[in-house]
């Protein structure tokens, strides 16, 4: 996992954002092309290569979700092709109701609008809940790495993505 | 990588690197003195080189003050504000009986600065850091680097103007904090937000408009004055370039005075005729309010991209001559809710910052490091005229992304990749940068080739593309065909539209994607109808497939991607039996072929 290597990190899912930033600044001082402006071309090329890797790494790892996706990908999991498999049935039921409300709204029936606002608040709460779940699973995996935990993380990520899409759709309708 | 531990800063005597601000209206050079950055004065003591180029009767070119002096008498043989044309670097500009490209015009100005520096130091100067607007795209950056090369300068680094200004302000100032740099120059506007911590200047986000600046204010005043004069003198003066240029200078004088007084006169004295008009600051402010308003949208977007609120900004720095206008200061102050810094001369601060960056590269300035970002997203064209983004805007540079490509036709040896810059979803709404042709791919059946293409934006914000055939491990040669299809106005318009049209974009994209999928299944069905399996179907099954097929075609031309998707699934279901039959036929065919 090059992104962890270039930052000098062990393969941990839990990362402290302040510490990560300090690491990034420190490594930037060592690797940035500015430090090698007068070096020979091969060294300059290597600095460009490594510092782009460093920047890509920091950008990916500082966000918990993209970090987990990167981690899972490198542990052999495929991401993002799960459809609605990890979505709990009660949420799917809610989605059906939501779709009905959206249809009403589209046909000019404004009475469904409050229902949308409720749905939005609910989805936002679910999103926060899945973020908490991720934090806990990260800790669990770092304490004792296990494939089963990674599988659970993938489940939460898929559910989270689904909720995020819902939230975006509902927000879109509400802002119109 | 052990090599990275070597410190080249303490090696041999560093070669001199100067910092250059190549501006729309004025250009300056600076160097790192023992006590800090200093402007390099010309032999006559002047600090500013006007960005004006003139062609003399003997066929030679001059730039700077001498060229500016010829604007009125030889308007057809002088060029100014050529930085505005850097986006169309291949399109020549007319000057007298000659034509020069925008990078060549830039080169004349750079050469003038280079000569001043050589006179100042008494030795040749060949290396420079040159600043560009943060919002310059790849083509404009490339054109600026080319200008340096034409002028005989090795441009070691392009630095974004607002970032350079932050360097000039931040050095030996506060140790940490969030800085916003508002840079309204002669022709371009930039806003950048940076985090400063222990000598690291990390740009969090940047935004702007490369077609907005003091020039636009001049044009507004000019329009009024030209109309007045036509009425007063009984004939328009537009046909007389000398008169227009004289008026332009009078208008600029009046504009500049209004930053310090409440009223003044536009005063034109041309070939014995006089035009005078009183103009108040109040009128100027009402005129330019829409221009100032246009800078606030990018500011808000920049804050949003940095995930900050105005209250999070600790310091605001003003850069560019146009920020002397009191209305600009008030607008910035009310947006960021803090009084902007104006201690340093807004005309000089960018050049001073460029000199500091030159000091960083030469090793003279230690402990300071700039981490800048790319202003525009980079993507490639994929099926259906859609842009797939590879590197998002505001990514710290150098930044890279690797993408796998394969071939679509048996024996294909070339792959064409269309690279674009911009925030919109569709190819037609982004700026085409270049087409990269990968050649020398080993001919194999379609879909079997594996070409790994690496897109890398370097520390100058310029794209580099390399490719490797992962099956053979060989580097694939990449031929670049730069495109100048779109103008910069179009790019700017695109970005603004992007925010407004994001919704429509996504819908359009979804429809396109659904159509691509529909095309695939319709083509597969046409193929299948030639197969024996089709004739094995009952007439009811054939009719059901045909009905689903017709329904999909109907939905295909609508704009509801859900409907297209639904009918694709229906057709899929209806042709299940057909697919099974085909599979069986294939198996039978395969068995027939084998001799038992």
């Amino acid at each position: 996992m090059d992104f962890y290597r270039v930052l000098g990190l062990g393969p941990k899912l839990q990362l402290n954002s302040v510490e990560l930033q300090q690491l990034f600044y420190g490594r930037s001082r060592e690797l940035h092309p500015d430090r090698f402006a007068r070096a020979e071309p091969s060294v300059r090329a290597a600095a460009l290569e490594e510092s782009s890797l460093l920047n890509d790494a920091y950008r990916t790892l500082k966000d918990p979700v993209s970090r987990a996706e990167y981690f899972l990908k490198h542990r052999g999991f495929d991401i993002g092709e799960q459809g609605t498999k990890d979505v709990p049935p009660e949420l799917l039921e809610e989605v059906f109701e939501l779709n009905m409300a959206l249809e009403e709204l589209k046909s000019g029936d404004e009475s469904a609008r409050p229902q949308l606002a409720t749905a939005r608040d609910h989805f936002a709460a679910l999103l926060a809940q899945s973020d908490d779940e991720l934090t806990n699973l990260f800790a669990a995996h770092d304490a004792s790495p296990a494939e089963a935990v990674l599988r659970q993380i993938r489940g939460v990520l898929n559910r989270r993505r689904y909720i995020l899409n819902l939230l975006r759709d509902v927000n879109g309708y509400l802002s119109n | 990588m052990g090599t990275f531990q070597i410190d080249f800063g303490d090696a041999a005597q560093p070669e001199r690197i100067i910092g250059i601000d190549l501006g729309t209206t004025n250009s300056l050079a600076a160097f790192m003195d023992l006590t800090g950055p200093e402007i390099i004065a010309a032999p006559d003591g002047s600090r500013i080189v006007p960005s004006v180029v003139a062609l003399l009767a003997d066929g030679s070119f001059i730039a700077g003050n001498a060229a500016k002096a010829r604007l009125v008498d030889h308007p057809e043989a002088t060029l100014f504000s050529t930085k505005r044309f850097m986006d169309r670097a291949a399109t020549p500009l007319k000057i007298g009986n000659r034509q020069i490209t925008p990078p060549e015009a830039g080169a004349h100005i750079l050469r003038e600065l280079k000569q001043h520096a050589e006179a100042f130091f008494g030795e040749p100067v060949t290396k420079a850091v040159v600043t560009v607007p943060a919002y310059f795209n790849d083509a404009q950056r490339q054109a600026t680097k080319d200008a340096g090369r034409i002028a005989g300068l090795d441009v070691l680094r392009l630095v974004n103007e607002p970032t350079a200004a932050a360097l000039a302000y931040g050095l030996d100032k506060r140790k940490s904090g969030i800085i916003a740099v508002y840079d309204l120059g002669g022709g371009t506007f930039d806003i950048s937000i940076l985090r400063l911590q222990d000598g690291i200047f990390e740009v969090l986000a940047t935004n702007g408009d490369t077609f907005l600046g003091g020039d636009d204010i001049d044009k507004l005043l000019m329009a009024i004055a030209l109309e007045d004069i036509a009425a007063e003198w009984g004939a328009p003066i537009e046909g007389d370039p000398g008169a227009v240029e004289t008026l332009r200078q009078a208008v600029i004088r009046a504009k500049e005075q209004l930053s310090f007084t409440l009223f003044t006169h536009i005063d034109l004295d041309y070939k014995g005729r006089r035009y005078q008009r009183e103009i108040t600051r109040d009128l100027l402010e009402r005129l330019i309010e829409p221009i100032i308003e246009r800078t606030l949208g990018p500011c808000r977007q920049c804050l949003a991209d940095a995930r900050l609120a105005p209250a999070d900004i600790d310091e605001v720095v003003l850069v560019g001559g146009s920020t002397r206008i009191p209305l600009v200061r008030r607008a910035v102050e009310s947006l960021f809710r803090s009084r902007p810094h104006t201690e340093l001369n807004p005309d000089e601060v960018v050049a001073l910052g460029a000199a500091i960056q030159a000091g960083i590269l030469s090793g003279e300035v230690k402990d300071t490091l700039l981490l800048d970002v790319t202003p525009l997203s980079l993507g490639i064209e994929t099926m259906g005229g859609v842009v797939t983004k590879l590197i998002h805007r505001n990514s710290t540079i150098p930044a890279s992304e690797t993408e796998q490509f394969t071939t679509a036709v048996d024996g294909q040896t070339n792959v064409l990749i269309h690279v674009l810059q911009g925030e919109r979803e569709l190819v037609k709404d982004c700026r085409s940068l270049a087409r990269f042709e990968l050649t020398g791919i080993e001919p194999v059946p379609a879909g079997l080739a594996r070409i790994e293409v690496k897109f890398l934006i370097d520390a100058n914000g310029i794209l580099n593309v390399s490719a490797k055939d992962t099956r053979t491990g060989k580097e694939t040669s990449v031929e670049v065909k730069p495109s100048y299809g779109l103008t910069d106005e179009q790019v700017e318009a695109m970005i603004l539209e992007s925010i407004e049209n994001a919704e429509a974009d996504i819908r359009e994209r979804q429809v396109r994607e659904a159509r691509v999928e529909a095309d695939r299944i319709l083509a597969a069905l046409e193929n299948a109808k030639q197969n024996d399996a089709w004739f094995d179907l009952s007439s009811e099954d054939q009719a059901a497939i045909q009905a689903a097929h017709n329904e999909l075609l109907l939905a295909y031309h609508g704009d509801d991607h859900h409907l297209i998707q639904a009918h694709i699934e229906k057709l899929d279901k209806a042709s299940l039996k057909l697919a099974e039959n085909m599979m069986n036929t294939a198996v039978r065919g395969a068995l027939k072929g084998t001799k038992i």
Side-chain angles (χ1 to χ4, degrees):
Chain A
M1 290 202 286
D2 279 351
F3 284 177
Y4 281 88
R5 187 215 14 109
V6 74
L7 278 156
L9 284 167
K12 296 275 177 202
L13 277 165
Q14 271 187 311
L15 297 176
N16 175 301
S17 63
V18 176
E19 282 169 24
L20 192 63
Q21 190 195 333
Q22 292 313 313
L23 262 180
F24 170 62
Y25 284 174
R27 291 293 282 158
S28 290
R29 285 186 197 278
E30 292 167 9
L31 298 177
H32 196 276
D34 280 5
R35 303 271 294 119
F36 304 94
R38 295 179 305 123
E40 54 185 279
S42 65
V43 176
R44 287 211 308 269
L48 180 60
E49 202 60 33
E50 279 295 285
S51 70
S52 68
L53 181 67
L54 173 67
N55 291 334
D56 299 343
Y58 180 56
R59 190 165 52 247
T60 304
L61 297 188
K62 74 178 168 186
D63 173 50
V65 172
S66 60
R67 184 197 312 150
E69 284 172 352
Y70 176 80
F71 199 100
L72 286 175
K73 206 176 122 211
H74 283 262
R75 287 282 190 265
F77 286 86
D78 57 339
I79 312 278
E81 298 295 330
Q82 303 298 311
T84 54
K85 192 173 121 303
D86 292 295
V87 181
E90 59 277 16
L91 184 58
L92 284 179
E93 242 165 68
E94 243 179 279
V95 173
F96 291 135
E97 279 172 32
L98 177 71
N99 277 339
M100 266 156 52
L102 288 179
E103 286 303 318
E104 282 168 32
L105 205 60
K106 266 193 250 173
S107 64
D109 182 357
E110 283 293 311
S111 65
R113 203 167 273 278
Q115 196 187 332
L116 281 193
T118 315
R120 178 192 54 197
D121 296 344
H122 181 53
F123 295 148
L126 285 177
L127 194 67
Q129 191 189 320
S130 58
D131 286 345
D132 290 343
E133 281 174 62
L134 276 184
T135 311
N136 293 335
L137 288 168
F138 285 2
H141 184 269
D142 287 348
S144 72
E147 176 135 352
V149 182
L150 291 181
R151 212 168 295 123
Q152 274 178 287
I153 291 175
R154 179 176 62 176
V156 177
L157 287 177
N158 285 330
R159 190 156 67 241
R160 193 184 179 283
R161 192 178 309 117
Y162 190 80
I163 297 166
L164 207 59
N165 283 340
L166 282 175
L167 198 57
R168 203 182 40 218
D169 290 351
V170 175
N171 275 329
Y173 280 107
L174 280 173
S175 64
N176 275 347
Chain B
M1 284 215 170
T3 48
F4 289 120
Q5 304 310 321
I6 304 165
D7 186 356
F8 292 87
D10 297 327
Q13 168 72 24
E15 193 174 356
R16 191 179 302 286
I17 309 171
I18 59 168
I20 293 178
D21 170 10
L22 182 60
T24 306
T25 317
N26 293 310
S27 298
L28 299 91
F31 76 109
M32 210 50 202
D33 206 351
L34 293 173
T35 52
E38 290 289 344
I39 298 292
I40 298 172
D44 68 359
S46 60
R47 294 159 77 84
I48 281 175
V49 169
S51 301
V52 183
V53 179
L55 176 65
L56 302 183
D58 67 0
S60 62
F61 286 95
I62 54 166
N65 278 315
K68 188 179 178 183
R70 295 174 64 87
L71 269 172
V72 171
D73 294 332
H74 304 90
E76 73 297 331
T78 43
L79 288 171
F80 63 91
S81 293
T82 56
K83 188 175 172 180
R84 288 200 153 199
F85 305 109
M86 283 302 221
D87 193 32
R88 280 148 288 168
T91 310
L93 307 165
K94 200 174 163 338
I95 177 166
N97 54 3
R98 298 268 295 273
Q99 292 200 322
I100 60 171
T101 62
E104 286 173 292
H108 287 300
I109 298 156
L110 289 174
R111 212 174 277 126
E112 180 76 10
L113 291 163
K114 181 175 184 275
Q115 282 163 4
H116 291 178
E118 288 174 342
F120 184 88
F121 296 117
E123 61 184 38
V125 173
T126 59
K127 290 182 162 38
V129 165
V130 178
T131 62
V132 289
Y135 220 52
F136 252 20
N137 64 29
D138 184 274
Q140 291 162 311
R141 286 167 194 269
Q142 197 67 61
T144 306
K145 255 196 128 173
D146 291 345
R149 216 165 44 218
I150 297 167
L153 280 170
D154 184 5
V155 179
L156 296 183
R157 175 61 47 81
L158 298 176
V159 187
N160 293 331
E161 286 158 11
T163 323
L167 270 181
Y169 262 103
L171 216 63
D172 66 46
K173 285 251 185 288
R174 58 184 297 153
K175 279 219 107 67
S176 63
I178 306 282
I179 308 173
V181 183
Y182 178 102
D183 180 355
L184 188 60
T188 59
F189 168 67
D190 283 328
I191 174 77
S192 286
I193 297 175
L194 300 91
R195 176 187 288 127
L196 170 54
Q197 192 180 311
D198 304 321
I200 299 256
F201 290 70
E202 184 193 5
V203 179
L204 300 175
T206 193
N207 212 300
D209 187 332
T210 56
F211 266 81
L212 182 61
D215 282 1
D216 298 292
I217 296 174
D218 303 346
K219 277 181 202 142
L220 287 176
L221 291 172
M222 283 289 281
I224 292 179
L226 283 169
E227 200 176 313
D228 270 4
I229 291 170
E232 262 180 46
W233 293 4
I237 59 164
E238 276 92 328
D240 181 349
V244 173
E245 179 53 34
T246 315
L247 178 65
R248 195 176 69 92
Q249 293 182 10
V251 155
I252 292 171
R253 247 188 330 269
K255 173 187 78 172
E256 290 175 354
Q257 281 165 2
L258 285 177
S259 291
F260 306 97
T261 62
L262 290 175
F263 73 93
T264 186
H265 290 87
I266 297 175
D267 195 342
L268 172 68
D269 199 343
Y270 183 73
K271 290 186 179 165
R273 303 188 80 165
R274 190 88 185 260
Y275 161 74
Q276 266 195 318
R277 182 205 163 106
E278 192 187 274
I279 180 160
T280 63
R281 184 189 287 179
D282 187 54
L283 174 68
L284 178 75
E285 291 191 344
R286 270 184 286 142
L287 273 177
I288 66 173
E289 214 189 323
I291 292 179
I292 311 307
E293 188 57 42
R294 273 174 65 195
T295 68
L296 299 180
C299 289
R300 293 189 191 101
Q301 185 63 46
C302 193
L303 275 168
D305 286 349
R307 296 181 185 188
L308 294 171
D312 298 321
I313 305 294
D314 298 310
E315 317 252 358
V316 180
V317 170
L318 292 181
V319 186
S322 304
T323 61
R324 287 201 178 90
I325 298 172
L327 179 64
V328 173
R329 297 195 172 181
R330 289 205 305 276
V332 174
E333 195 172 331
S334 83
L335 177 66
F336 293 107
R337 287 167 216 155
S338 73
R339 186 168 285 273
H341 280 275
T342 52
E343 298 93 303
L344 295 177
N345 182 339
D347 295 323
E348 295 186 348
V349 61
V350 169
L352 296 175
I356 296 170
Q357 178 63 31
I360 293 172
L361 295 183
S362 71
E364 290 163 82
V365 177
K366 299 184 203 305
D367 306 322
T368 299
L369 182 68
L370 206 60
L371 300 173
D372 220 317
V373 300
T374 180
L376 296 157
S377 298
L378 183 98
I380 52 169
E381 176 171 354
T382 48
M383 268 223 272
V386 171
V387 177
T388 299
K389 294 210 175 88
L390 297 178
I391 299 174
H392 288 265
R393 71 162 187 266
N394 295 321
S395 293
T396 304
I397 50 174
S400 68
E401 188 59 63
T402 306
E403 188 77 8
Q404 300 284 341
F405 290 87
T406 187
T407 47
V409 180
D410 289 348
Q412 186 179 341
T413 53
N414 290 16
V415 170
L416 200 63
I417 302 170
H418 186 196
V419 179
L420 303 107
Q421 226 171 4
E423 309 311 319
R424 299 285 300 275
E425 303 277 346
L426 300 179
V427 168
K428 65 178 171 70
D429 301 319
C430 286
R431 191 195 189 281
S432 171
L433 281 188
R435 283 176 169 80
F436 292 87
E437 190 172 14
L438 314 179
T439 54
I441 297 163
E442 204 173 300
V444 288
L448 226 61
R450 290 280 173 276
I451 304 121
E452 191 181 276
V453 181
K454 183 164 188 178
F455 300 86
L456 191 151
I457 299 178
D458 66 17
N460 300 310
I462 292 178
L463 173 68
N464 302 263
V465 172
S466 60
K468 195 166 69 186
D469 190 328
T470 49
R471 287 175 69 254
T472 61
K474 271 194 294 193
E475 287 276 320
T476 305
S477 90
V478 181
E479 196 189 323
V480 190
K481 292 171 184 153
S483 27
Y484 297 102
L486 285 174
T487 68
D488 209 50
E489 285 105 317
Q490 285 173 303
V491 175
E492 300 307 329
M494 280 172 221
I495 307 289
L496 284 179
E497 275 172 36
S498 156
I499 299 151
E500 295 155 14
N501 294 349
E503 276 290 297
D505 260 5
I506 289 168
R507 267 202 308 280
E508 212 172 330
R509 181 188 174 137
Q510 284 168 328
V511 171
R512 275 177 189 243
E513 284 177 346
R515 282 183 187 165
V516 167
E517 211 191 320
D519 283 337
R520 191 187 51 74
I521 188 167
L522 288 170
L525 182 61
E526 282 315 306
N527 257 332
K529 282 184 180 171
Q530 312 301 319
N531 194 293
D532 286 347
W534 170 256
F535 302 100
D536 291 345
L537 284 180
S538 68
S539 56
E540 288 92 324
D541 283 344
Q542 284 185 353
I545 292 175
Q546 202 52 49
H549 168 268
N550 292 344
E551 272 182 315
L552 175 57
L553 274 186
L554 275 179
Y556 184 95
H557 298 287
D559 57 2
D560 183 350
H561 69 277
H562 290 297
L563 197 65
I564 301 175
Q565 215 67 51
H567 285 296
I568 287 173
E569 277 162 36
K570 263 195 187 164
L571 180 56
D572 233 10
K573 252 188 214 139
S575 48
L576 211 60
K577 187 83 195 297
L578 173 63
E580 258 171 47
N581 282 358
M582 279 176 72
M583 188 68 88
N584 291 335
T585 315
V587 171
R588 277 204 302 277
L591 287 177
K592 236 184 265 168
T594 31
K595 290 204 173 96
I596 303 166

